[in-house]
Amino acid sequence: MSSSIENKCKEKGVRLTDQRKLIAKVMSESENHPDVDELHKQVSKQDSKISIATVYRTVKLFEEAGILEKHDFKGAKARYEKVSDEHHDHLIDINTGEIVEFVNEEIEKLQKQEAEKHGYKLVDHRLELYGSKIKKK
Amino acid sequence: MSSSIENKCKEKGVRLTDQRKLIAKVMSESENHPDVDELHKQVSKQDSKISIATVYRTVKLFEEAGILEKHDFKGAKARYEKVSDEHHDHLIDINTGEIVEFVNEEIEKLQKQEAEKHGYKLVDHRLELYGSKIKKK
DNA sequence: ATAATTGCAAATGCTTTGCTTGTGA
DNA sequence: TCACAAGCAAAGCATTTGCAATTAT
């Protein structure tokens, strides 16, 4: 069966090679925003010949096609996730690197207002929260 | 006379060399969040022998001493600004790279709440707005 | 005096690219 | 078929680092 990302490739007319199908599959199933190295490690399990250059080229291609989203979190390598229907921001665990996704309409609205206040149309934004787990007693 | 950053260096026991004094002076007077290359270009006007490596080492040192703040805005090289008394976030003009600083207590509060909602103590955050100027008619 | 700092060039880490061979539509 | 993609190694870019010479305290 074809992965959700593979389907998006078909919709967008992105040519499907074995390598791309594999990367699409791994990213479709991934829940943890892998970086390129991790992704390469994963796909290598199924195709030991796949080159890291191909992984780089593919994530870039998918990003430009609006299929993957790239994140440059503080002090870390670029990480990728599949684009989802609704926008969300990220809360990053500074101890484990674990990521929690969240949606906060109130903040979204205030951002737009803030930009307008300065005479700007809000085109894009980046909101990242960095925190440490509060331990339960 | 000594610049504001130079004074901070004295307070924090950071050894002052001619190169550091110069970088301190330029950054103290700078209003536009320069990247390392721009900064190197500026200081080179007064000391043509200063090395880019020294500029890199110095901004890093100043950052670790809490004197400068580093920003990795989307798709650009690292830019630096002097640490100011009150925290602020940034609105970046996607056409010119110009930066508008803003403070929004409401958003700050909501960020803290959002983190807590997920069981995290908010330790740090990054909020960047990217926009384009609305032209007046 | 002497531990820290500089300048230089080489090394690094991540990412991109040129080129030749291979392949999907 | 044949424009496009893959693999490899080399190149690119921002940044860091080893080392010998220099300097601040």
Side-chain angles (χ1 to χ4, degrees), chain A residues 102-119:
Chain A
F102 68 87
V103 177
N104 190 311
E105 298 299 349
E106 185 67 13
I107 294 180
E108 298 289 326
K109 197 172 63 190
L110 289 168
Q111 287 178 11
K112 193 158 173 291
Q113 289 174 2
E114 187 68 39
E116 283 163 5
K117 196 163 106 186
H118 299 281

Side-chain angles (χ1 to χ4, degrees), chain A residues 37-95:
Chain A
D37 259 330
E38 290 163 359
L39 178 54
H40 182 237
K41 235 169 258 167
Q42 288 305 313
V43 296
S44 295
K45 289 180 186 168
Q46 318 223 187
D47 172 2
S48 60
K49 296 286 163 297
I50 196 167
S51 144
I52 187 89
T54 296
V55 180
Y56 271 106
R57 276 192 276 238
T58 304
V59 291
K60 184 172 225 200
L61 175 76
F62 285 1
E63 192 199 353
E64 284 161 356
I67 295 170
L68 288 182
E69 203 171 335
K70 180 186 187 180
H71 299 293
D72 289 289
F73 297 130
K74 282 192 180 186
K77 329 186 206 173
R79 299 173 65 167
Y80 289 84
E81 72 170 316
K82 52 185 177 295
V83 168
S84 54
D85 319 319
E86 36 159 44
H87 163 77
H88 61 257
D89 291 303
H90 301 86
L91 164 58
I92 300 100
D93 188 315
I94 56 173
N95 301 124

Side-chain angles (χ1 to χ4, degrees), chain B residues 59-72:
Chain B
V59 291
K60 185 173 224 199
L61 175 76
F62 285 1
E63 192 199 353
E64 284 161 356
I67 295 170
L68 288 182
E69 203 171 335
K70 180 186 188 181
H71 298 293
D72 290 289

